[in-house]
Amino acid sequence: KMKAIVFLGKESVACQDVAIPKISGPNQAIIKVQLAGLCGSDLHVYHDKEGCDTGVTMGHEFVGVVKAVSDDIQGQFQPNQRVACPFTTSCGECVYCNKGLTCRCVKGSLFGYGSAGVQLQGAQAEYVLVPLATSSLVPVPEDVSSEAALLAGDILSTAMFCCQNADLPRLALEQPSACIVIVGCGPVGLLAALYARSLSQTFILIAVDLVEERLAHASRFGVSHTVNARDPDVPKQVACYASGGPAAVLELVGGNTTLKLAYDLVGHGGCISSIGVNNDSSMPFSANDMYDKNLTLKVGRCPARRLLPEAMELSKDKLSSCIDIITHHVALEDGAEAYRRFNQKQDGCIKTVFEVSH
């Protein structure tokens, strides 16, 4: 048996003893988890918005060491080799993998999710089974910390993807003083601020959030101005810094309230890059509304496997402060309290990491 954080139903998780996973097919690996992350996307399962089966082990962010592999891939990993993994598996061969959209691999699965009995157990556990191991796992260089590798597997890559979808690398070259607004200063939003600042030291970066501690952290990551979302006229506050409106708005919460705010903020000809998981069934603005602003809207899941090596490399230099978002280190046994604290945004919680083994 091993310890794992298990989904029991709406807003209910617990650390329980579950069976240690076993190799059951080709191209599989068993990873002994060193660190596992608690992600904002885990809260969608926690709130029972995803239709996840009860009994599923939670979590999709992890770094660990290789303990066992299937016979067909013997020799492709060293015993106890440290590896990172994106939040989805991918085959590296299908049409989507070949064009870099690894998150939509036809054979891929999301860790820590299951419905109708089809499950891939998650990584908030002592061990995790990784299918499609040779194309999903990425060796961690010796000069990359386990904390940075953990973030690179999901939220750092996702922050980079959000910025790239908004065309910030091009704007950094052509409009290096453009105004960029970040809506939502949770872990991904803060890392988006850090990455955006690394692209241009002269971007006018504006962060919008409800939590003052998170806005303060955004300032430490290079944001030029902060606006509390409780302000009665956020667009007016932003307009003080952005003549003609922002060139891009990064929406990192996932919901129609923040997506509508992004629409209200963005300038004509601008782009909204929405990276939060939005469970609302309709859009808060119409196609005609988009037409009237000449608006570009980009939405979707990050192809983390493609971006993971670059994210690890950047974590050694330009994005080395990425690990500063980690505010809480806890044991698996404290999982229920960790979820409650993160959900309620209490005790200055931004990013929680489960310390599983050494």
Side-chain angles (χ1 to χ4, degrees):
K1 295 284 187 176
M2 68 173 184
K3 299 292 184 184
I5 298 174
V6 176
F7 177 62
L8 302 179
K10 186 174 181 179
E11 297 181 9
S12 179
V13 298
C15 182
Q16 297 184 345
D17 290 329
V18 302
I20 296 175
K22 297 179 180 179
I23 299 292
S24 59
N27 198 5
Q28 293 185 350
I30 302 292
I31 305 303
K32 183 179 181 181
V33 177
Q34 294 179 321
L35 301 175
L38 175 50
C39 179
S41 298
D42 292 326
L43 294 182
H44 291 277
V45 177
Y46 183 67
H47 290 298
D48 202 19
K49 293 182 177 180
E50 302 282 354
C52 184
D53 295 340
T54 57
V56 170
T57 297
M58 298 286 286
H60 53 261
E61 299 178 350
F62 66 98
V63 62
V65 295
V66 178
K67 299 308 291 185
V69 298
S70 53
D71 290 342
D72 60 312
I73 60 170
Q74 291 288 335
Q76 297 201 39
F77 296 100
Q78 299 300 314
N80 295 313
Q81 183 176 9
R82 192 167 52 125
V83 291
C85 190
F87 53 87
T88 58
T89 60
S90 54
C91 71
E93 298 175 344
C94 71
V95 61
Y96 299 115
C97 286
N98 281 332
K99 63 181 182 180
L101 199 61
T102 52
C103 57
R104 297 302 171 193
C105 173
V106 298
K107 297 179 182 178
S109 299
L110 171 66
F111 288 98
Y113 179 77
S115 63
V118 179
Q119 302 173 349
L120 180 57
Q121 300 295 339
Q124 290 169 5
E126 293 181 273
Y127 295 89
V128 61
L129 173 69
V130 180
L132 303 173
T134 55
S135 47
S136 299
L137 295 171
V138 180
V140 179
E142 288 187 4
D143 55 351
V144 173
S145 70
S146 292
E147 288 83 359
L150 175 73
L151 301 183
D154 184 353
I155 60 173
L156 181 55
S157 292
T158 297
M160 293 166 56
F161 180 64
C162 185
C163 292
Q164 291 169 9
N165 265 3
D167 221 6
L168 295 200
R170 180 188 62 80
L171 284 174
L173 296 174
E174 298 178 5
Q175 302 177 48
S177 297
C179 178
I180 314 297
V181 177
I182 299 155
V183 177
C185 293
V188 183
L190 290 172
L191 293 178
L194 185 66
Y195 179 66
R197 180 54 75 211
S198 77
L199 295 173
S200 171
Q201 292 301 306
T202 52
F203 273 155
I204 301 171
L205 295 180
I206 303 173
V208 181
D209 199 275
L210 293 165
V211 183
E212 285 295 336
E213 294 98 327
R214 294 185 174 193
L215 291 172
H217 204 121
S219 294
R220 292 195 292 273
F221 272 7
V223 163
S224 315
H225 308 283
T226 62
V227 178
N228 194 298
R230 290 189 174 88
D231 188 288
D233 197 344
V234 173
K236 182 179 179 180
Q237 294 297 320
V238 170
C240 294
Y241 310 112
S243 176
V249 179
L250 314 181
E251 190 278 308
L252 301 119
V253 179
N256 276 355
T257 300
T258 48
L259 189 57
K260 178 59 165 61
L261 177 60
Y263 174 83
D264 292 339
L265 294 175
V266 71
H268 294 300
C271 177
I272 295 174
S273 177
S274 177
I275 212 72
V277 180
N278 191 333
N279 293 118
D280 291 317
S281 59
S282 61
M283 295 284 288
F285 46 82
S286 68
N288 190 62
D289 292 330
M290 295 178 63
Y291 178 89
D292 285 344
K293 275 200 166 183
N294 283 58
L295 175 65
T296 299
L297 173 64
K298 291 189 177 181
V299 184
R301 176 187 282 177
C302 168
R305 175 60 183 84
R306 172 169 63 84
L307 290 169
L308 202 165
E310 180 187 2
M312 285 199 293
E313 188 65 26
L314 288 172
S315 77
K316 296 189 293 185
D317 182 18
K318 291 183 178 180
L319 305 183
S320 60
S321 58
C322 65
I323 61 174
D324 292 349
I325 67 166
I326 301 173
T327 53
H328 290 73
H329 293 79
V330 301
L332 291 174
E333 289 84 352
D334 299 319
E337 173 60 18
Y339 268 83
R340 186 201 62 77
R341 179 174 51 233
F342 183 45
N343 181 53
Q344 298 295 326
K345 300 182 178 68
Q346 294 179 340
D347 191 30
C349 184
I350 296 176
K351 182 66 177 180
T352 295
V353 169
F354 296 102
E355 295 188 347
V356 184
S357 67
H358 300 287

